[in-house]
Amino acid sequence: MIVQDSQRQGEQLLEALLGALKAADQLRAMTVVRRALKQGWTVDDIRFHLITPALHDVGRQWERGAIGVGDEHLATSICEWLLFTLAGRTRRHSATGRRALVGCSEGELHSLGARILAHVLSEQGWSVLYLGAATPTAAWPQIVYARRPDVAVLTTTMPAALEAVGPAVTAIKSSRPECRTVVGGQAYHGLSGAASDFGADLLVLDAGALARQL
Ligand code: B12
């Protein structure tokens, strides 16, 4: 019964957020997030089980022509705004003394997944350097050499962008062998491949589990 209730609650919140995104109504979207917090959702619950599925749904709506590109851009910018509003609302763990570099592989413009990982790792006490979208393969060696991260996290959404992952990982390792490399993102869903196929140390799909695996 409790499971059914919380499932219904989740569906209602998702529907309400999708309605707000469709109307491009930022304040209404924030009201939905506040409602979720009041109902006991954690910030990570909201990131992973409300905002992420809402954006995935927006993608499906765009794919079938139910909404236009501009509508999708507005929905994305509202979600980005929600993510910034949520960041730092949880108590930051004590500093781990470790540094993570988080970015997207070459050609990859989908940056919100990387943005979420950056927020989550920062709250877990990591010092985080966030590169945003599409870091060219040739840029990684200089960045890891200069910034000396313990871990480099590369996210990839488009299957076509996967071909840049192996060369980026090789470039990182050649510049800073002690830097661990972690790859993940929607492009890996349904692939039978492993991290080693990309020369990486870890392939992780669950953002909530990332910090525990590092
Ligand atoms: C917004 C959006 C855009 C925006 C991105 C803006 C931005 N600042 O990010 C813009 C307009 C740039 C864009 C462009 C395109 N897009 Co687009 N886009 C989307 C949309 C609607 C949402 C993306 C998003 O933010 N999702 C929410 C994030 C939070 O979810 P996430 O990435 O899955 O991340 C979560 C987990 O996967 C995990 N995770 C992610 N990475 C990693 C890494 C590690 C290590 C770990 C542990 C976890 C992890 O953490 C997150 C936890 O919440 C998606 C729909 C979708 N399914 O996501 C389509 C979608 C990805 N896009 C699509 C397409 C086709 C395109 C374009 C080719 C369109 C075009 N013709 O130009 C271009 C390609 C651009 C490029 N070269 O990258 C398709 C891809 C289909 C495919 N598989 O090939 C999708 C799926 C839409 C669809 N249903 O058709 N897009």
Side-chain angles (χ1 to χ4, degrees):
M1 193 60 173
I2 292 170
V3 174
Q4 271 178 1
D5 281 352
S6 71
Q7 195 184 335
R8 200 169 320 121
Q9 197 185 68
E11 285 165 5
Q12 284 168 353
L13 287 167
L14 181 57
E15 205 179 306
L17 180 57
L18 284 168
L21 296 180
K22 195 163 188 182
D25 189 334
Q26 198 156 295
L27 295 181
R28 201 167 118 198
M30 194 58 219
T31 306
V32 178
V33 164
R34 274 202 214 95
R35 192 172 1 134
L37 288 168
K38 258 198 196 140
Q39 290 175 0
W41 286 46
T42 64
V43 166
D44 278 351
D45 288 338
I46 294 170
R47 288 173 173 140
F48 305 144
H49 305 302
L50 188 58
I51 296 175
T52 298
L55 278 166
H56 289 182
D57 194 274
V58 165
R60 286 189 290 272
Q61 292 182 49
W62 166 78
E63 194 180 17
R64 60 171 193 268
I67 60 169
V69 172
D71 301 316
E72 173 268 312
H73 281 33
L74 288 172
T76 306
S77 87
I78 290 174
C79 288
E80 202 165 23
W81 182 74
L82 297 178
L83 291 173
F84 274 111
T85 307
L86 286 169
R89 273 187 81 111
T90 56
R91 209 159 58 87
R92 196 170 188 271
H93 289 206
S94 46
T96 60
R98 299 171 79 197
R99 180 178 294 179
L101 184 65
V102 180
C104 302
S105 50
E106 180 165 300
E108 181 58 73
L109 295 182
H110 299 92
S111 59
L112 265 63
R115 158 74 59 203
I116 289 178
L117 296 175
H119 289 178
V120 170
L121 287 175
S122 172
E123 288 163 6
Q124 299 277 340
W126 284 72
S127 154
V128 178
L129 298 164
Y130 170 66
L131 288 165
T135 294
T137 301
W140 287 98
Q142 185 273 330
I143 299 167
V144 294
Y145 184 76
R147 305 292 172 182
R148 314 182 77 75
D150 299 289
V151 174
V153 182
L154 277 75
T155 103
T156 308
T157 300
M158 302 297 296
L162 281 175
E163 65 181 29
V165 175
V169 169
T170 305
I172 291 167
K173 285 285 182 194
S174 62
S175 178
R176 185 165 164 77
E178 62 271 50
C179 178
R180 295 183 81 202
T181 49
V182 185
V183 297
Q186 286 183 58
Y188 298 88
H189 288 194
L191 283 189
S192 54
S196 56
D197 294 352
F198 301 90
D201 295 305
L202 281 174
L203 165 59
V204 187
L205 297 178
D206 179 355
L210 177 62
R212 287 195 296 280
Q213 296 192 42
L214 296 178

